[in-house]
Amino acid sequence: MLLRLTFNWQVLISNSYSLVRSFHSLFYLLLLGLSITLAIFFSSKVNANETTTSDSQRFKIHGFISQGLIDVNGSDFVNDDGKLSAELTEIGLNATYQLTDNLRVAGQVVYLEGGNRFAKGTRIDYALLDWSVFSSQQWQANIYLGRFKNNHWLYSSTRDVPFARPSIILPQSVYFDGFRDIAVGSDGIASKLSYSFADYGDLDWQISYGVSPISNKQTSNLLSEFAQGSATQDYDAQTSLYWHPEFSAWRFGLSLLDASFTYQRGRPSTENIFFDSNFIFQFYTFNALYEGESWEFSAEVYQQRFVIDGFYSPTFKLDDIGQGFYLQSRYKLSQRLTLLARYEDFYLDKDDKNGKEQEQNTNGAIPYYFGFHQDTTLGLNFDVTSNFAIRAEYHWVRGTGRLSPVVSPNIQLNNSEGWQMWAVQLKYWF
Amino acid sequence: MAIEVVTHPNVTDMSLTNLQLRRIFTMRQLRWSDDTPINIFVLPSQHNVHQRFSKQHLKIFPYQLNRIWHKLTYSGLGVAPTIVQSERELVNAIINTPGSIGYIQDTGLIKPWQSSQAKEIKQVVSLNEDRQDQEKIAKNDSLNINTKGVVNVIKINF
């Protein structure tokens, strides 16, 4: 039983936020107050100085709406009954307002529906104050306060933006939908430092520190049956470095993540079985991107470390290292039609890559194929206009190591190593 | 047909290197040399002039520009250029927006005062399709010209 749950560490982390909720409300009230104060303070200054930012350029609104169909055979990735589903909806609306030459506020609200993939509903995607600390022809330094997007991985900042990611379903090992609400961003402080060399190209260094909230619905979806206590995220610290050599088609990136969580059992009872515990999650990635006129290649290679101290028993210890990569190629057949091919390979424990050990240790309760995830994807994207596109793709998957709900994996529905899915999606943006 | 880079008359930078131009359109340089903010106007990504400007002047593929701009716009990290639907709309936006920069086809411009006065009053352009305005401008005495309808044409040093 204990081991059955150990490989499902993602869920444990995702329960971390119920206690933090009151803190978040307070945080946003403070942020809102700060923004309004700053806006009032600087608006008088703005009027007096006649700054050069034209009024029409101060305020901008953008958004997107997309709807798709998805059909999964052989797993509960989207739904339990395996039928064709329209649970593939993504809607977003954002606004930015330039308060002064150096201060800007921005926010985005998104509505997501993805079936079992993540909690359905509306959420504040980001809400931030952007302070341009320094800006010159070669340097940019910005500090972001509030709720900001994770901008450290290749597609993390636009994973919910249908036309700004490479496929309808992203590589689940990095962009695991069950882990979305925590990985998508944080509430706290972030900074970005950009420098453009005359000869060596562009360098971007980013650092962020914060905590992530998670909806009650997702927490209950993933954990309630087993963990009745409450969890908090202590911190989420990330940094990344990107280098784009001048006039090169290549770009290279590195990212590091370190996060810590605490679980508190509360009042023990026969149903409240898990113990006070600490979790550590670390994630390192290296990525490379090639953007040519017709061909494009991208890859992310990564390693994660997950440490459990407690939870199953006061003395329980687990320290697993998972590894993976994906290789992606896109070919522009014409200005409007792009083809996609991708291969992804991921295992949750590098010492048990085929999951056999786990199957033995659980006396067959957890089939070996819950230990890995391999996805071969083919797809195409057609840009009908500059603002409207259609996308279709097919996935052949081996392994069920990246499925929600993860605490109680559905062995009945996910009873085979191989499963497939196809999806089509219409996308409009402005 | 050549493409010209145009700015609002209050922009003091009269020439840019192609590296600077690329930094500006990829949102890595947000201010002119006098520290005033840059406002960028572009045509839709599938517009022929945009495609050519992107490849020839910026040495970057239009889809790469889209990615950079989409990332800024939809992740809250920054602000992307304003998209306008036609060259005429683009020129109007440049005329009316201090600190602005954009691009337009050479054939879409007339340059009534490329004589000796051109140096003093900068270059004056308007759209061919706008016949009436063109005539009005042509009838004006160059020394009395209203700044409305005037844009700078920027020299790009490759």
Side-chain angles (χ1 to χ4, degrees):
Chain A
M1 178 65 184
L2 296 186
L3 279 163
R4 175 183 172 188
L5 292 165
T6 55
F7 81 106
N8 289 314
W9 50 266
Q10 299 93 341
V11 169
L12 313 180
I13 306 176
S14 67
N15 191 36
S16 308
Y17 301 96
S18 44
L19 272 190
V20 191
R21 290 194 149 269
S22 53
F23 167 76
H24 282 293
S25 309
L26 187 66
F27 182 80
Y28 277 103
L29 277 175
L30 283 171
L31 186 68
L32 190 67
L34 178 70
S35 304
I36 293 169
T37 311
L38 285 168
I40 293 168
F41 174 74
F42 284 105
S43 61
S44 53
K45 200 178 158 188
V46 166
N47 291 337
N49 293 350
E50 275 298 317
T51 64
T52 47
T53 307
S54 139
D55 285 343
S56 66
Q57 292 298 297
R58 284 185 178 283
F59 182 64
K60 289 183 177 181
I61 285 189
H62 291 279
F64 56 89
I65 181 162
S66 77
Q67 177 61 50
L69 291 172
I70 187 163
D71 191 17
V72 183
N73 294 306
S75 87
D76 65 350
F77 182 63
V78 170
N79 53 21
D80 293 348
D81 60 17
K83 289 181 180 162
L84 180 65
S85 171
E87 291 169 307
L88 185 56
T89 309
E90 290 159 294
I91 300 168
L93 186 68
N94 70 61
T96 172
Y97 183 74
Q98 196 76 40
L99 293 168
T100 73
D101 277 0
N102 300 322
L103 285 176
R104 185 176 67 91
V105 285
Q108 178 163 274
V109 175
V110 294
Y111 171 84
L112 301 177
E113 179 167 9
N116 291 339
R117 292 166 57 205
F118 34 65
K120 167 186 171 178
T122 307
R123 50 200 103 196
I124 294 173
D125 199 32
Y126 60 81
L128 55 85
L129 180 73
D130 171 11
W131 175 30
S132 172
V133 182
F134 186 74
S135 180
S136 74
Q137 293 208 14
Q138 289 182 301
W139 287 96
Q140 301 282 346
N142 289 68
I143 288 177
Y144 303 92
L145 287 172
R147 176 173 298 177
F148 48 82
K149 296 299 285 274
N150 173 353
N151 191 37
H152 299 285
W153 311 331
L154 217 42
Y155 303 111
S156 56
S157 68
T158 52
R159 62 186 288 168
D160 296 324
V161 186
F163 55 93
R165 60 176 186 239
S167 54
I168 300 169
I169 304 296
L170 285 172
Q172 288 297 297
S173 49
V174 181
Y175 307 95
F176 180 40
D177 289 326
F179 202 38
R180 177 208 169 274
D181 285 357
I182 294 169
V184 73
S186 290
D187 296 345
I189 182 166
S191 78
K192 181 177 182 183
L193 188 66
S194 300
Y195 182 71
S196 300
F197 291 94
D199 302 316
Y200 301 108
D202 302 330
L203 214 54
D204 290 315
W205 179 49
Q206 298 167 101
I207 189 161
S208 65
Y209 188 92
V211 291
S212 306
I214 189 162
S215 68
N216 285 336
K217 188 169 185 295
Q218 182 173 16
T219 306
S220 63
N221 273 353
L222 295 173
L223 208 64
S224 65
E225 198 183 336
F226 299 104
Q228 297 187 344
S230 56
T232 50
Q233 183 172 36
D234 307 316
Y235 66 85
D236 176 303
Q238 297 198 57
T239 186
S240 59
L241 187 68
Y242 280 85
W243 177 48
H244 176 210
E246 192 58 54
F247 291 109
S248 160
W250 287 93
R251 197 184 69 185
F252 305 96
L254 280 171
S255 81
L256 305 173
L257 178 157
D258 181 29
S260 167
F261 305 84
T262 303
Y263 177 78
Q264 287 177 310
R265 182 184 190 181
R267 198 159 52 95
S269 71
T270 48
E271 288 172 345
N272 188 0
I273 53 171
F274 295 116
F275 295 87
D276 288 357
S277 41
N278 290 308
F279 305 92
I280 294 170
F281 179 58
Q282 294 167 333
F283 189 56
Y284 319 110
T285 77
F286 169 77
N287 67 66
L289 174 68
Y290 172 88
E291 292 178 321
E293 182 154 25
S294 299
W295 285 98
E296 180 199 332
F297 300 99
S298 59
E300 280 185 284
V301 182
Y302 34 89
Q303 174 164 301
Q304 66 181 37
R305 176 172 178 237
F306 185 59
V307 180
I308 302 176
D309 190 355
F311 199 67
Y312 301 107
S313 77
T315 56
F316 182 84
K317 292 249 195 297
L318 176 134
D319 195 342
D320 267 355
I321 288 177
Q323 293 171 332
F325 73 91
Y326 70 82
L327 285 170
Q328 176 179 281
S329 165
R330 281 196 271 186
Y331 180 73
K332 280 154 202 69
L333 207 60
S334 71
Q335 193 179 313
R336 295 184 171 195
L337 186 63
T338 306
L339 307 178
L340 168 96
R342 185 172 63 220
Y343 178 70
E344 174 191 16
D345 192 353
F346 172 74
Y347 39 85
L348 286 149
D349 180 0
K350 76 176 173 67
D351 298 321
D352 184 22
K353 292 178 184 175
N354 56 18
K356 294 272 182 352
E357 215 173 288
Q358 177 178 259
E359 183 172 297
Q360 284 173 6
N361 292 339
T362 57
N363 294 320
I366 298 201
Y368 66 95
Y369 51 79
F370 278 85
F372 55 87
H373 174 88
Q374 295 165 356
D375 182 352
T376 306
T377 306
L378 289 178
L380 57 88
N381 185 81
F382 185 72
D383 289 319
V384 183
T385 71
S386 297
N387 294 83
F388 180 68
I390 182 166
R391 177 175 279 166
E393 66 196 42
Y394 201 97
H395 296 250
W396 292 264
V397 188
R398 281 187 63 235
T400 52
R402 276 305 203 213
L403 292 175
S404 303
V406 283
V407 152
S408 49
N410 195 324
I411 313 289
Q412 284 74 43
L413 290 174
N414 302 303
N415 58 2
S416 63
E417 178 183 334
W419 54 283
Q420 303 83 38
M421 66 178 150
W422 63 263
V424 291
Q425 193 177 34
L426 296 173
K427 307 167 280 177
Y428 172 78
W429 62 97
F430 63 89
Chain B
M1 285 175 282
I3 290 172
E4 299 282 9
V5 177
V6 292
T7 62
H8 186 273
N10 83 335
V11 173
T12 53
D13 301 58
M14 291 306 286
S15 72
L16 293 170
T17 66
N18 65 331
L19 206 62
Q20 282 175 312
L21 194 67
R22 193 160 123 138
R23 273 184 211 148
I24 288 171
F25 278 86
T26 55
M27 315 310 283
R28 299 189 70 88
Q29 178 184 335
L30 306 176
R31 287 166 190 276
W32 296 109
S33 56
D34 64 359
D35 208 36
T36 57
I38 301 174
N39 288 307
I40 306 172
F41 291 92
V42 296
L43 293 163
S45 63
Q46 291 188 7
H47 196 290
N48 176 262
V49 176
H50 175 78
Q51 297 261 331
R52 283 171 46 218
F53 172 74
S54 175
K55 288 187 214 171
Q56 292 167 10
H57 285 71
L58 304 179
K59 310 284 183 215
I60 190 169
F61 302 114
Y63 80 89
Q64 293 177 287
L65 281 179
N66 274 345
R67 285 188 193 167
I68 293 166
W69 297 341
H70 286 159
K71 189 170 177 173
L72 293 172
T73 300
Y74 298 92
S75 73
L77 275 178
V79 179
T82 303
I83 299 168
V84 292
Q85 295 305 313
S86 68
E87 289 177 86
R88 185 170 170 177
E89 223 180 295
L90 190 138
V91 168
N92 283 335
I94 300 288
I95 288 167
N96 294 315
T97 314
S100 60
I101 183 169
Y103 50 83
I104 189 170
Q105 270 191 119
D106 189 38
T107 52
L109 309 174
I110 62 158
K111 301 167 188 169
W113 299 282
Q114 282 179 318
S115 58
S116 57
Q117 287 150 332
K119 285 170 195 161
E120 291 162 37
I121 61 161
K122 302 174 181 176
Q123 278 184 298
V124 180
V125 298
S126 85
L127 283 170
N128 266 336
E129 58 192 81
D130 205 345
R131 284 282 164 203
Q132 284 190 329
D133 281 0
Q134 187 183 331
E135 281 163 22
K136 271 186 213 160
I137 290 170
K139 282 175 191 167
N140 271 338
D141 179 349
S142 61
L143 297 174
N144 296 332
I145 189 162
N146 193 315
T147 50
K148 193 177 179 184
V150 179
V151 297
N152 292 351
V153 175
I154 296 290
K155 187 174 186 296
I156 306 299
N157 302 310
F158 283 94

